[in-house]
Structures are given as C-alpha cells and as structure tokens.
Amino acid sequence: MKKNTCHQSALDVALLQYDSVAEKLDIEPGIRETLRHPQFAVEVAFPVKMDDGTVKVFKGYRVIHNNARGPGKGGVRYHPDVTFDEVKALSMWMTWKCAVVGLPFGGAKGGVTCNPLEMSKGEIERLTRRFTSEISNVIGPTTDIPGPDVFTNPQVMAWMMDTYSTQKGELTPGVVTGKPIPLGGSLGRNSATAKGVVICIREAVKELGLSLNNLKIAVQGYGNVGLNAVSMLHDYGCKIVGVTDIMGGVYCENGLDPKALTNQLEKTGSIEGTPGTDDLSNEDLFGLDCDVLIPAAIGNQITQDNAETIKAKIIAEGANGPTTPEADKILCDKGVMIIPDVLANAGGVTVSYFEWVQNLMRYYWSEEEVHERLERIMTESFTAVLGAAKEKGTSLRAAAYNLAILRVSEAMKLRGISS
Ligand code: NAD
C-alpha cells in the first residue's frame, strides 16, 4: 500500500528525496550509503530550574549530518514537536543547502523539545545555557556552528555564545551566528532569507518571460521571511493579493499594502482583519489566482490534497520542507516551476556564513557589501541549478540535489576514509 505522505516523518521525506537522486548518480556505493546517515548525533537530557522552584528535565539534540566540506552549520529549534528524527532530517537538508550555494560548511541542526511560548525569559535563558553546556564539546567555530531557527532568536544566540565563551575562557563570537549586531552579528542578516527568495523569484520570472510589474503574489506566513519578501516584492511593483499567518489571512484583488499589514500585526499580533481587506483562510490561499506562491511558514503545507488547486506558475519555498513528495510530483506534472527550499531560502545561511567570516577576521562589512555578495551567490546558484535542470531535463529540486550530492561526495572521495 502506498504510504500517505502526511504521515511520513521529515526523516522519511529527506531520505526519499536523497535516494531518488543519489541512486541515479555515479558515486561510490559506500559514499552513497554514508550520506544516508548522520555522521554524529547526540541526545542529551538535562535539568532546568523553573520559576516555581521545581526542576524540569528537557531533551535536546545536536546532529552533524556531514562535515566533508567544512564545519557543521545549522540552527537550533525550540518547539514542543521537536524529535531526534526531525533534527536528523533538518541536518541533512542543511548539508545540501550549504553545498548548493557553495558554502564551505557541512550540515547540522539542533533542537530542544520544549514550548518556549509557555516559558518565562529566565526559564528560556537557563534552558539555553544548560543545553549549550551539554553540547559544548560538539559545537565550536571550527567544528559545528549553531544559529537561530524556529522559536530561537538573536538573544538566545547571545546566551549560547556567552555560555560557550565563558567555558572556554575566551570570547568566541564565531561559535554561533544570528547574534545581535553589538555582539558580532552581521548587517543584512535579518532580511537575508527573504532577499534570497526574492532574487530567485526575479530570476525565475526572467526565465519564464514574465514581468515583475503587477505579478500576482500569494504568501503563507508573515514572519521574518514572509514580511520581508512581501515588502521587497511590493517595491518591485508586484501585486500582493493574499497573505496568511497562523491566525488567518487577508485578500485584496487590487493588491495589499504591506505597511497596513505590518501595522495590523504590530497592533494585534496577526495580519487578520487588516482594514480594507477581505478574509482569507490558509486553505483558500493555495488556490488563489496568482503567479507566484511563497510558502513561508512551516513544513508539509502543500500536499496531495491541495496541489491540484494551485494556480501559481512559480512556487518559491521560503519555508523548509513545505511541499510533500506527492504534491511535488503533481505540481511538476502540471508544469509549475518549484524553486526548492535548499536553494530558495539559502540566503539566510549565506549571510550566516558572512557573519562567521567577519567574526573570524574581526573585520566587519557594510550592509552594502553583504547585499552585493549575497546577490552574487544567489544569482550564480540559481543559474547553476537552472542550467543543470535544463541539461538533464529534471525539476529544479532534482537538479539542486544532484549538484549538492555530487559536491559533497566529491569532497568525501578526495578526503578518503580514515582508519
Ligand atoms: P517566523 O516565526 O518569523 O514566522 C512564521 C510565520 O508563519 C508567522 O507569520 C506565523 O504566524 C506563520 N505560521 C506559523 N504556523 C502557521 C500555520 N500553521 N499556518 C499558517 N501560518 C503559520 O519564522 P520565519 O523565520 O519567517 O521562518 C519561516 C519559515 O522559513 C520556516 O519554515 C523556517 O524554517 C524557514 N526559514 C527561515 C529562515 C530565516 O532566516 N528566518 C531561513 C531558512 C528557512
């Protein structure tokens, strides 16, 4: 019986995506098998003193999928649904993402199973410091460099950096990225992921012979990625017809005003009910009459249940893993151009790389320099993936995986097997 993707774990999906490309590549079987597994994975259980005086035990994970091309790189997620397997899948995706855009990093990821929305700032700080201590022999500026992910932010990165630096007896800003600017964060990091998404859309639009002017855009998620992408695309002359967040959404045939959306978000915590707009549900967003759809919220949103209804010509995956493999096939058969997550949202890790480089050099760049370098890397990466897809007659996702797996396996082959 065919497995329902909705019940597939992130790790099932990551392995399926990898196997479907790797089995067609001429790489040594031993290397191919090695890449199916994380190279290093640690699970820790640690106590945290809560505000009411009780002690609660939390589980945390850090996984390095592969470090053939450089130290592990990947965020730390705080979420009640975090599992060891999910972290393994996310670490594997990081390996491909870093390789697709040519960064000298391997893939890694971390997480703690917790609900930070129900914890005080003090509790989150104590959890962060203890988790950092538990994994301090794994992470390091030349071994494995965490960054922010779902429900972690620059403040959490500052606590991680401080805990690690205190233990090592020296200030080590390069141990994490996504730090606040006064602690060695990079200018341009906040909008980097959205900027990468927008660069990919701009190049895709060129390829399809469309124009950005009046291009109709629908976006799921109005957080770091969604909000910044909406604002940049609006400035390019695109018409933002629909946006949703976890509470609901808004629609306007003539185009939404990003300033009004952000005002509403700041006032109420959601864009829902922005004056002058009609209500829009997350289900209806996917079927909207639009040219570009940007999933920028969470994983598993585009499934076999809604893929047929999608009218967009381009899907730019701002989120990680928003499209299930079944939906991917339906959309490819319909001729939709899907810009895969490992390419579309790689602007974030690219500027994290810049932050790390600046930390190691102790020399900081202007925002303009950051943007110029990001622009070059994203444009070149998009062109390389598109070229490979055309040459081999595959989807952009298969082409991106193809490039990434070949780059990683070449590095592994050159390094050989140590004994
Ligand atoms: P965020 O927390 O700032 O915003 C998330 C947005 O998604 C919010 O508007 C939230 O309301 C909405 N959302 C959450 N659950 C939803 C649901 N069930 N239905 C509809 N909307 C929902 O997060 P972000 O940093 O913007 O990240 C968004 C996605 O992009 C995530 O998948 C993340 O892994 C991915 N990503 C982010 C970065 C980055 O640099 N921020 C980099 C690469 C990938």
Side-chain angles (χ1 to χ4, degrees):
M1 205 177 78
K2 206 168 173 219
K3 234 176 160 184
N4 182 345
T5 313
C6 295
H7 299 128
Q8 276 178 321
S9 71
L11 189 55
D12 289 336
V13 173
L15 284 171
L16 215 127
Q17 290 171 334
Y18 168 72
D19 286 338
S20 68
V21 174
E23 67 194 12
K24 294 188 196 119
L25 293 176
D26 182 23
I27 50 178
E28 283 174 19
I31 289 180
R32 188 164 61 222
E33 180 60 25
T34 305
L35 283 169
R36 300 188 85 250
H37 308 276
Q39 196 170 311
F40 177 88
V42 61
E43 175 181 329
V44 294
F46 57 93
V48 175
K49 203 172 265 179
M50 308 305 280
D51 289 345
D52 65 4
T54 60
V55 170
K56 209 169 156 186
V57 177
F58 290 89
K59 277 201 167 168
Y61 316 93
R62 188 71 193 169
V63 176
I64 301 175
H65 170 256
N66 185 273
N67 67 3
R69 290 169 46 84
K73 182 84 194 87
V76 172
R77 180 172 291 199
Y78 288 176
H79 195 279
D81 298 339
V82 164
T83 64
F84 206 3
D85 271 0
E86 183 194 47
V87 176
K88 287 176 186 170
L90 288 161
S91 73
M92 193 177 196
W93 282 328
M94 285 306 298
T95 300
W96 313 139
K97 194 179 296 182
C98 292
V100 166
V101 289
L103 306 180
F105 283 142
K109 203 80 182 188
V112 176
T113 314
C114 64
N115 189 352
L117 301 181
E118 290 173 359
M119 294 168 72
S120 70
K121 192 173 175 190
E123 288 170 339
I124 296 172
E125 176 174 357
R126 292 194 291 280
L127 176 140
T128 300
R129 290 190 182 279
R130 183 60 192 252
F131 177 58
T132 307
S133 293
E134 296 292 337
I135 60 166
S136 62
N137 287 334
V138 180
I139 61 173
T142 57
T143 52
D144 175 19
I145 305 130
D149 192 67
V150 176
F151 292 156
T152 55
N153 54 29
Q155 176 62 76
V156 170
M157 295 304 111
W159 291 326
M160 287 190 84
M161 191 272 273
D162 180 68
T163 306
Y164 181 89
S165 297
T166 306
Q167 274 192 8
K168 301 290 166 188
E170 60 180 5
L171 180 67
T172 317
V175 67
V176 291
T177 61
K179 297 178 293 295
I181 304 287
L183 291 180
S186 179
L187 294 169
R189 173 63 185 89
N190 189 45
S191 59
T193 306
K195 202 166 174 58
V197 170
V198 170
I199 290 169
C200 288
I201 293 172
R202 189 192 67 204
E203 297 303 303
V205 160
K206 249 190 248 168
E207 172 64 20
L208 297 184
L210 303 169
S211 156
L212 281 170
N213 200 30
N214 277 330
L215 198 75
K216 286 188 265 178
I217 314 272
V219 185
Q220 187 192 37
Y222 201 69
N224 174 283
V225 181
L227 182 153
N228 286 299
V230 161
S231 156
M232 290 175 209
L233 288 165
H234 182 262
D235 289 348
Y236 268 133
C238 300
K239 203 192 277 183
I240 316 297
V241 289
V243 180
T244 56
D245 65 20
I246 195 164
M247 311 297 284
V250 289
Y251 170 76
C252 182
E253 197 185 346
N254 296 325
L256 296 157
D257 171 14
K259 282 201 192 86
L261 297 181
T262 305
N263 276 344
Q264 182 75 0
L265 177 71
E266 281 167 3
K267 255 197 258 160
T268 69
S270 169
I271 53 168
E272 200 185 22
T274 303
T277 67
D278 295 326
D279 287 348
L280 178 70
S281 69
N282 269 290
E283 293 76 50
D284 290 343
L285 173 94
F286 294 105
L288 270 192
D289 179 16
C290 65
D291 301 299
V292 181
L293 175 64
I294 309 176
I298 52 167
N300 273 346
Q301 294 301 291
I302 303 178
T303 67
Q304 55 193 345
D305 298 334
N306 59 17
E308 285 291 0
T309 68
I310 289 176
K311 299 189 183 73
K313 301 176 186 78
I314 298 169
I315 296 177
E317 294 184 338
N320 284 314
T323 313
T324 66
E326 277 88 352
D328 196 62
K329 179 163 186 334
I330 295 170
L331 291 160
C332 285
D333 289 347
K334 275 171 55 142
V336 178
M337 183 192 250
I338 304 178
I339 310 169
D341 47 7
V342 291
L343 172 65
N345 71 37
V349 73
T350 301
V351 176
S352 280
Y353 164 60
F354 297 161
E355 178 176 333
W356 178 72
V357 169
Q358 293 171 77
N359 293 155
L360 298 187
M361 291 193 304
R362 303 286 207 260
Y363 178 72
Y364 288 86
W365 309 342
S366 68
E367 192 158 359
E368 223 173 33
E369 285 174 281
V370 169
H371 284 162
E372 260 170 38
R373 291 178 160 109
L374 175 63
E375 167 74 38
R376 185 177 54 75
I377 289 183
M378 289 305 301
T379 312
E380 286 176 3
S381 303
F382 184 91
T383 307
V385 171
L386 180 67
K390 280 182 176 172
E391 193 190 315
K392 302 225 158 45
T394 68
S395 66
L396 292 180
R397 191 185 313 279
Y401 267 68
N402 205 306
L403 278 181
I405 294 168
L406 284 177
R407 283 175 184 166
V408 176
S409 58
E410 185 191 15
M412 289 174 74
K413 190 172 175 192
L414 286 167
R415 286 180 64 161
I417 297 173
S418 72
S419 43

PDB file of all heavy atoms in Angstrom, residues 11-40:
ATOM      1  N   LEU A  11      12.160  12.793   8.365  1.00  0.00           N
ATOM      2  CA  LEU A  11      13.314  11.959   8.004  1.00  0.00           C
ATOM      3  C   LEU A  11      12.977  11.042   6.823  1.00  0.00           C
ATOM      4  O   LEU A  11      13.801  10.864   5.917  1.00  0.00           O
ATOM      5  CB  LEU A  11      13.781  11.134   9.215  1.00  0.00           C
ATOM      6  CG  LEU A  11      15.095  10.376   9.044  1.00  0.00           C
ATOM      7  CD1 LEU A  11      16.244  11.288   8.620  1.00  0.00           C
ATOM      8  CD2 LEU A  11      15.474   9.647  10.339  1.00  0.00           C
ATOM      9  N   ASP A  12      11.741  10.485   6.809  1.00  0.00           N
ATOM     10  CA  ASP A  12      11.305   9.672   5.659  1.00  0.00           C
ATOM     11  C   ASP A  12      11.411  10.511   4.375  1.00  0.00           C
ATOM     12  O   ASP A  12      11.912  10.052   3.356  1.00  0.00           O
ATOM     13  CB  ASP A  12       9.832   9.242   5.797  1.00  0.00           C
ATOM     14  CG  ASP A  12       9.621   8.192   6.877  1.00  0.00           C
ATOM     15  OD1 ASP A  12      10.579   7.475   7.193  1.00  0.00           O
ATOM     16  OD2 ASP A  12       8.492   8.105   7.398  1.00  0.00           O
ATOM     17  N   VAL A  13      10.899  11.746   4.458  1.00  0.00           N
ATOM     18  CA  VAL A  13      10.887  12.619   3.275  1.00  0.00           C
ATOM     19  C   VAL A  13      12.314  12.959   2.842  1.00  0.00           C
ATOM     20  O   VAL A  13      12.654  12.860   1.660  1.00  0.00           O
ATOM     21  CB  VAL A  13      10.076  13.918   3.562  1.00  0.00           C
ATOM     22  CG1 VAL A  13      10.207  14.907   2.407  1.00  0.00           C
ATOM     23  CG2 VAL A  13       8.615  13.599   3.819  1.00  0.00           C
ATOM     24  N   ALA A  14      13.161  13.291   3.816  1.00  0.00           N
ATOM     25  CA  ALA A  14      14.552  13.662   3.486  1.00  0.00           C
ATOM     26  C   ALA A  14      15.269  12.488   2.809  1.00  0.00           C
ATOM     27  O   ALA A  14      15.988  12.678   1.825  1.00  0.00           O
ATOM     28  CB  ALA A  14      15.297  14.093   4.743  1.00  0.00           C
ATOM     29  N   LEU A  15      15.047  11.280   3.322  1.00  0.00           N
ATOM     30  CA  LEU A  15      15.714  10.103   2.738  1.00  0.00           C
ATOM     31  C   LEU A  15      15.161   9.789   1.354  1.00  0.00           C
ATOM     32  O   LEU A  15      15.902   9.435   0.439  1.00  0.00           O
ATOM     33  CB  LEU A  15      15.558   8.891   3.667  1.00  0.00           C
ATOM     34  CG  LEU A  15      16.475   8.915   4.902  1.00  0.00           C
ATOM     35  CD1 LEU A  15      16.118   7.809   5.879  1.00  0.00           C
ATOM     36  CD2 LEU A  15      17.946   8.787   4.479  1.00  0.00           C
ATOM     37  N   LEU A  16      13.834   9.935   1.219  1.00  0.00           N
ATOM     38  CA  LEU A  16      13.211   9.692  -0.083  1.00  0.00           C
ATOM     39  C   LEU A  16      13.779  10.643  -1.138  1.00  0.00           C
ATOM     40  O   LEU A  16      14.129  10.235  -2.256  1.00  0.00           O
ATOM     41  CB  LEU A  16      11.710   9.942   0.069  1.00  0.00           C
ATOM     42  CG  LEU A  16      10.790   9.079  -0.735  1.00  0.00           C
ATOM     43  CD1 LEU A  16       9.760   8.463   0.224  1.00  0.00           C
ATOM     44  CD2 LEU A  16      10.055   9.899  -1.771  1.00  0.00           C
ATOM     45  N   GLN A  17      13.874  11.932  -0.764  1.00  0.00           N
ATOM     46  CA  GLN A  17      14.411  12.939  -1.700  1.00  0.00           C
ATOM     47  C   GLN A  17      15.854  12.605  -2.048  1.00  0.00           C
ATOM     48  O   GLN A  17      16.263  12.674  -3.209  1.00  0.00           O
ATOM     49  CB  GLN A  17      14.340  14.333  -1.070  1.00  0.00           C
ATOM     50  CG  GLN A  17      12.923  14.865  -0.934  1.00  0.00           C
ATOM     51  CD  GLN A  17      12.857  16.151  -0.110  1.00  0.00           C
ATOM     52  OE1 GLN A  17      13.704  16.407   0.730  1.00  0.00           O
ATOM     53  NE2 GLN A  17      11.828  16.951  -0.335  1.00  0.00           N
ATOM     54  N   TYR A  18      16.634  12.220  -1.047  1.00  0.00           N
ATOM     55  CA  TYR A  18      18.048  11.895  -1.285  1.00  0.00           C
ATOM     56  C   TYR A  18      18.169  10.662  -2.177  1.00  0.00           C
ATOM     57  O   TYR A  18      18.863  10.685  -3.197  1.00  0.00           O
ATOM     58  CB  TYR A  18      18.758  11.665   0.057  1.00  0.00           C
ATOM     59  CG  TYR A  18      20.134  11.053  -0.106  1.00  0.00           C
ATOM     60  CD1 TYR A  18      21.190  11.804  -0.609  1.00  0.00           C
ATOM     61  CD2 TYR A  18      20.365   9.713   0.202  1.00  0.00           C
ATOM     62  CE1 TYR A  18      22.449  11.245  -0.786  1.00  0.00           C
ATOM     63  CE2 TYR A  18      21.620   9.144   0.035  1.00  0.00           C
ATOM     64  CZ  TYR A  18      22.660   9.917  -0.472  1.00  0.00           C
ATOM     65  OH  TYR A  18      23.893   9.352  -0.664  1.00  0.00           O
ATOM     66  N   ASP A  19      17.470   9.562  -1.785  1.00  0.00           N
ATOM     67  CA  ASP A  19      17.595   8.297  -2.523  1.00  0.00           C
ATOM     68  C   ASP A  19      17.199   8.467  -3.990  1.00  0.00           C
ATOM     69  O   ASP A  19      17.857   7.926  -4.881  1.00  0.00           O
ATOM     70  CB  ASP A  19      16.707   7.213  -1.889  1.00  0.00           C
ATOM     71  CG  ASP A  19      17.287   6.701  -0.568  1.00  0.00           C
ATOM     72  OD1 ASP A  19      18.508   6.845  -0.368  1.00  0.00           O
ATOM     73  OD2 ASP A  19      16.524   6.169   0.254  1.00  0.00           O
ATOM     74  N   SER A  20      16.115   9.239  -4.227  1.00  0.00           N
ATOM     75  CA  SER A  20      15.606   9.331  -5.593  1.00  0.00           C
ATOM     76  C   SER A  20      16.638   9.964  -6.531  1.00  0.00           C
ATOM     77  O   SER A  20      16.659   9.683  -7.723  1.00  0.00           O
ATOM     78  CB  SER A  20      14.288  10.110  -5.641  1.00  0.00           C
ATOM     79  OG  SER A  20      14.535  11.452  -5.327  1.00  0.00           O
ATOM     80  N   VAL A  21      17.498  10.812  -5.996  1.00  0.00           N
ATOM     81  CA  VAL A  21      18.539  11.424  -6.834  1.00  0.00           C
ATOM     82  C   VAL A  21      19.831  10.609  -6.766  1.00  0.00           C
ATOM     83  O   VAL A  21      20.444  10.297  -7.796  1.00  0.00           O
ATOM     84  CB  VAL A  21      18.798  12.891  -6.400  1.00  0.00           C
ATOM     85  CG1 VAL A  21      19.969  13.485  -7.173  1.00  0.00           C
ATOM     86  CG2 VAL A  21      17.543  13.731  -6.617  1.00  0.00           C
ATOM     87  N   ALA A  22      20.227  10.226  -5.547  1.00  0.00           N
ATOM     88  CA  ALA A  22      21.537   9.576  -5.367  1.00  0.00           C
ATOM     89  C   ALA A  22      21.631   8.258  -6.117  1.00  0.00           C
ATOM     90  O   ALA A  22      22.699   7.909  -6.631  1.00  0.00           O
ATOM     91  CB  ALA A  22      21.803   9.354  -3.878  1.00  0.00           C
ATOM     92  N   GLU A  23      20.501   7.535  -6.209  1.00  0.00           N
ATOM     93  CA  GLU A  23      20.590   6.212  -6.855  1.00  0.00           C
ATOM     94  C   GLU A  23      20.890   6.317  -8.351  1.00  0.00           C
ATOM     95  O   GLU A  23      21.352   5.361  -8.965  1.00  0.00           O
ATOM     96  CB  GLU A  23      19.324   5.386  -6.584  1.00  0.00           C
ATOM     97  CG  GLU A  23      18.064   5.913  -7.211  1.00  0.00           C
ATOM     98  CD  GLU A  23      16.797   5.253  -6.638  1.00  0.00           C
ATOM     99  OE1 GLU A  23      16.886   4.571  -5.613  1.00  0.00           O
ATOM    100  OE2 GLU A  23      15.731   5.446  -7.249  1.00  0.00           O
ATOM    101  N   LYS A  24      20.668   7.520  -8.925  1.00  0.00           N
ATOM    102  CA  LYS A  24      20.947   7.684 -10.359  1.00  0.00           C
ATOM    103  C   LYS A  24      22.350   8.237 -10.602  1.00  0.00           C
ATOM    104  O   LYS A  24      22.770   8.413 -11.737  1.00  0.00           O
ATOM    105  CB  LYS A  24      19.925   8.654 -10.973  1.00  0.00           C
ATOM    106  CG  LYS A  24      18.511   8.097 -10.950  1.00  0.00           C
ATOM    107  CD  LYS A  24      17.550   8.994 -11.737  1.00  0.00           C
ATOM    108  CE  LYS A  24      16.125   8.668 -11.385  1.00  0.00           C
ATOM    109  NZ  LYS A  24      15.384   9.779 -10.807  1.00  0.00           N
ATOM    110  N   LEU A  25      23.055   8.585  -9.520  1.00  0.00           N
ATOM    111  CA  LEU A  25      24.373   9.211  -9.690  1.00  0.00           C
ATOM    112  C   LEU A  25      25.487   8.186  -9.639  1.00  0.00           C
ATOM    113  O   LEU A  25      25.396   7.182  -8.936  1.00  0.00           O
ATOM    114  CB  LEU A  25      24.598  10.258  -8.590  1.00  0.00           C
ATOM    115  CG  LEU A  25      23.695  11.489  -8.639  1.00  0.00           C
ATOM    116  CD1 LEU A  25      23.959  12.383  -7.439  1.00  0.00           C
ATOM    117  CD2 LEU A  25      23.917  12.266  -9.929  1.00  0.00           C
ATOM    118  N   ASP A  26      26.554   8.518 -10.361  1.00  0.00           N
ATOM    119  CA  ASP A  26      27.696   7.613 -10.399  1.00  0.00           C
ATOM    120  C   ASP A  26      28.618   7.936  -9.219  1.00  0.00           C
ATOM    121  O   ASP A  26      29.659   8.561  -9.384  1.00  0.00           O
ATOM    122  CB  ASP A  26      28.417   7.801 -11.747  1.00  0.00           C
ATOM    123  CG  ASP A  26      29.591   6.855 -11.881  1.00  0.00           C
ATOM    124  OD1 ASP A  26      29.583   5.820 -11.192  1.00  0.00           O
ATOM    125  OD2 ASP A  26      30.507   7.172 -12.666  1.00  0.00           O
ATOM    126  N   ILE A  27      28.156   7.565  -8.015  1.00  0.00           N
ATOM    127  CA  ILE A  27      29.031   7.767  -6.850  1.00  0.00           C
ATOM    128  C   ILE A  27      29.251   6.422  -6.168  1.00  0.00           C
ATOM    129  O   ILE A  27      28.421   5.519  -6.279  1.00  0.00           O
ATOM    130  CB  ILE A  27      28.466   8.810  -5.846  1.00  0.00           C
ATOM    131  CG1 ILE A  27      27.005   8.521  -5.486  1.00  0.00           C
ATOM    132  CG2 ILE A  27      28.622  10.200  -6.349  1.00  0.00           C
ATOM    133  CD1 ILE A  27      26.424   9.499  -4.466  1.00  0.00           C
ATOM    134  N   GLU A  28      30.384   6.332  -5.466  1.00  0.00           N
ATOM    135  CA  GLU A  28      30.720   5.043  -4.846  1.00  0.00           C
ATOM    136  C   GLU A  28      29.615   4.617  -3.890  1.00  0.00           C
ATOM    137  O   GLU A  28      29.128   5.437  -3.100  1.00  0.00           O
ATOM    138  CB  GLU A  28      32.034   5.176  -4.074  1.00  0.00           C
ATOM    139  CG  GLU A  28      33.234   5.166  -4.988  1.00  0.00           C
ATOM    140  CD  GLU A  28      34.524   5.434  -4.223  1.00  0.00           C
ATOM    141  OE1 GLU A  28      34.552   5.284  -2.994  1.00  0.00           O
ATOM    142  OE2 GLU A  28      35.495   5.809  -4.904  1.00  0.00           O
ATOM    143  N   PRO A  29      29.226   3.339  -3.933  1.00  0.00           N
ATOM    144  CA  PRO A  29      28.149   2.868  -3.063  1.00  0.00           C
ATOM    145  C   PRO A  29      28.392   3.157  -1.579  1.00  0.00           C
ATOM    146  O   PRO A  29      27.469   3.499  -0.844  1.00  0.00           O
ATOM    147  CB  PRO A  29      28.104   1.360  -3.324  1.00  0.00           C
ATOM    148  CG  PRO A  29      28.733   1.187  -4.668  1.00  0.00           C
ATOM    149  CD  PRO A  29      29.718   2.297  -4.847  1.00  0.00           C
ATOM    150  N   GLY A  30      29.660   3.067  -1.146  1.00  0.00           N
ATOM    151  CA  GLY A  30      29.969   3.315   0.265  1.00  0.00           C
ATOM    152  C   GLY A  30      29.691   4.769   0.648  1.00  0.00           C
ATOM    153  O   GLY A  30      29.171   5.066   1.729  1.00  0.00           O
ATOM    154  N   ILE A  31      30.039   5.677  -0.263  1.00  0.00           N
ATOM    155  CA  ILE A  31      29.788   7.109  -0.004  1.00  0.00           C
ATOM    156  C   ILE A  31      28.285   7.359  -0.025  1.00  0.00           C
ATOM    157  O   ILE A  31      27.737   8.065   0.824  1.00  0.00           O
ATOM    158  CB  ILE A  31      30.529   7.979  -1.055  1.00  0.00           C
ATOM    159  CG1 ILE A  31      32.027   7.915  -0.795  1.00  0.00           C
ATOM    160  CG2 ILE A  31      30.011   9.413  -1.056  1.00  0.00           C
ATOM    161  CD1 ILE A  31      32.883   8.718  -1.737  1.00  0.00           C
ATOM    162  N   ARG A  32      27.603   6.741  -0.989  1.00  0.00           N
ATOM    163  CA  ARG A  32      26.147   6.936  -1.096  1.00  0.00           C
ATOM    164  C   ARG A  32      25.459   6.478   0.192  1.00  0.00           C
ATOM    165  O   ARG A  32      24.587   7.168   0.716  1.00  0.00           O
ATOM    166  CB  ARG A  32      25.611   6.159  -2.302  1.00  0.00           C
ATOM    167  CG  ARG A  32      24.155   6.474  -2.567  1.00  0.00           C
ATOM    168  CD  ARG A  32      23.721   6.043  -3.940  1.00  0.00           C
ATOM    169  NE  ARG A  32      23.857   4.617  -4.111  1.00  0.00           N
ATOM    170  CZ  ARG A  32      24.331   4.021  -5.198  1.00  0.00           C
ATOM    171  NH1 ARG A  32      24.722   4.740  -6.228  1.00  0.00           N
ATOM    172  NH2 ARG A  32      24.415   2.716  -5.280  1.00  0.00           N
ATOM    173  N   GLU A  33      25.896   5.342   0.726  1.00  0.00           N
ATOM    174  CA  GLU A  33      25.270   4.826   1.944  1.00  0.00           C
ATOM    175  C   GLU A  33      25.628   5.709   3.145  1.00  0.00           C
ATOM    176  O   GLU A  33      24.774   6.011   3.988  1.00  0.00           O
ATOM    177  CB  GLU A  33      25.707   3.365   2.174  1.00  0.00           C
ATOM    178  CG  GLU A  33      25.118   2.702   3.411  1.00  0.00           C
ATOM    179  CD  GLU A  33      23.586   2.638   3.429  1.00  0.00           C
ATOM    180  OE1 GLU A  33      22.958   2.666   2.354  1.00  0.00           O
ATOM    181  OE2 GLU A  33      23.019   2.580   4.544  1.00  0.00           O
ATOM    182  N   THR A  34      26.880   6.162   3.203  1.00  0.00           N
ATOM    183  CA  THR A  34      27.304   7.011   4.330  1.00  0.00           C
ATOM    184  C   THR A  34      26.416   8.249   4.427  1.00  0.00           C
ATOM    185  O   THR A  34      26.022   8.670   5.519  1.00  0.00           O
ATOM    186  CB  THR A  34      28.790   7.445   4.154  1.00  0.00           C
ATOM    187  OG1 THR A  34      29.572   6.273   3.990  1.00  0.00           O
ATOM    188  CG2 THR A  34      29.286   8.228   5.348  1.00  0.00           C
ATOM    189  N   LEU A  35      26.078   8.824   3.268  1.00  0.00           N
ATOM    190  CA  LEU A  35      25.306  10.070   3.268  1.00  0.00           C
ATOM    191  C   LEU A  35      23.839   9.877   3.679  1.00  0.00           C
ATOM    192  O   LEU A  35      23.120  10.858   3.863  1.00  0.00           O
ATOM    193  CB  LEU A  35      25.390  10.738   1.883  1.00  0.00           C
ATOM    194  CG  LEU A  35      26.713  11.461   1.628  1.00  0.00           C
ATOM    195  CD1 LEU A  35      26.851  11.855   0.166  1.00  0.00           C
ATOM    196  CD2 LEU A  35      26.820  12.703   2.519  1.00  0.00           C
ATOM    197  N   ARG A  36      23.402   8.629   3.841  1.00  0.00           N
ATOM    198  CA  ARG A  36      22.034   8.391   4.315  1.00  0.00           C
ATOM    199  C   ARG A  36      21.944   8.549   5.842  1.00  0.00           C
ATOM    200  O   ARG A  36      20.860   8.569   6.405  1.00  0.00           O
ATOM    201  CB  ARG A  36      21.553   6.976   3.945  1.00  0.00           C
ATOM    202  CG  ARG A  36      21.531   6.689   2.461  1.00  0.00           C
ATOM    203  CD  ARG A  36      20.874   5.352   2.161  1.00  0.00           C
ATOM    204  NE  ARG A  36      19.431   5.475   2.080  1.00  0.00           N
ATOM    205  CZ  ARG A  36      18.578   4.996   2.956  1.00  0.00           C
ATOM    206  NH1 ARG A  36      19.017   4.339   4.005  1.00  0.00           N
ATOM    207  NH2 ARG A  36      17.282   5.154   2.796  1.00  0.00           N
ATOM    208  N   HIS A  37      23.114   8.646   6.499  1.00  0.00           N
ATOM    209  CA  HIS A  37      23.134   8.640   7.970  1.00  0.00           C
ATOM    210  C   HIS A  37      23.815   9.886   8.508  1.00  0.00           C
ATOM    211  O   HIS A  37      24.758  10.384   7.894  1.00  0.00           O
ATOM    212  CB  HIS A  37      23.910   7.418   8.474  1.00  0.00           C
ATOM    213  CG  HIS A  37      23.430   6.130   7.881  1.00  0.00           C
ATOM    214  ND1 HIS A  37      22.363   5.437   8.396  1.00  0.00           N
ATOM    215  CD2 HIS A  37      23.844   5.440   6.787  1.00  0.00           C
ATOM    216  CE1 HIS A  37      22.152   4.358   7.653  1.00  0.00           C
ATOM    217  NE2 HIS A  37      23.030   4.340   6.660  1.00  0.00           N
ATOM    218  N   PRO A  38      23.387  10.348   9.679  1.00  0.00           N
ATOM    219  CA  PRO A  38      24.149  11.445  10.291  1.00  0.00           C
ATOM    220  C   PRO A  38      25.506  10.926  10.728  1.00  0.00           C
ATOM    221  O   PRO A  38      25.629   9.791  11.181  1.00  0.00           O
ATOM    222  CB  PRO A  38      23.317  11.846  11.508  1.00  0.00           C
ATOM    223  CG  PRO A  38      22.221  10.890  11.641  1.00  0.00           C
ATOM    224  CD  PRO A  38      22.250   9.924  10.498  1.00  0.00           C
ATOM    225  N   GLN A  39      26.502  11.793  10.593  1.00  0.00           N
ATOM    226  CA  GLN A  39      27.853  11.403  10.966  1.00  0.00           C
ATOM    227  C   GLN A  39      28.001  11.357  12.484  1.00  0.00           C
ATOM    228  O   GLN A  39      28.719  10.550  13.034  1.00  0.00           O
ATOM    229  CB  GLN A  39      28.750  12.492  10.391  1.00  0.00           C
ATOM    230  CG  GLN A  39      30.179  12.173  10.307  1.00  0.00           C
ATOM    231  CD  GLN A  39      30.834  13.275   9.492  1.00  0.00           C
ATOM    232  OE1 GLN A  39      30.382  13.643   8.412  1.00  0.00           O
ATOM    233  NE2 GLN A  39      31.903  13.828  10.004  1.00  0.00           N
ATOM    234  N   PHE A  40      27.298  12.279  13.128  1.00  0.00           N
ATOM    235  CA  PHE A  40      27.412  12.382  14.584  1.00  0.00           C
ATOM    236  C   PHE A  40      26.068  12.871  15.106  1.00  0.00           C
ATOM    237  O   PHE A  40      25.499  13.814  14.568  1.00  0.00           O
ATOM    238  CB  PHE A  40      28.509  13.399  14.931  1.00  0.00           C
ATOM    239  CG  PHE A  40      28.645  13.634  16.403  1.00  0.00           C
ATOM    240  CD1 PHE A  40      29.469  12.827  17.174  1.00  0.00           C
ATOM    241  CD2 PHE A  40      27.935  14.644  17.030  1.00  0.00           C
ATOM    242  CE1 PHE A  40      29.577  13.039  18.536  1.00  0.00           C
ATOM    243  CE2 PHE A  40      28.043  14.859  18.393  1.00  0.00           C
ATOM    244  CZ  PHE A  40      28.875  14.047  19.150  1.00  0.00           C
TER     245      PHE A  40
END
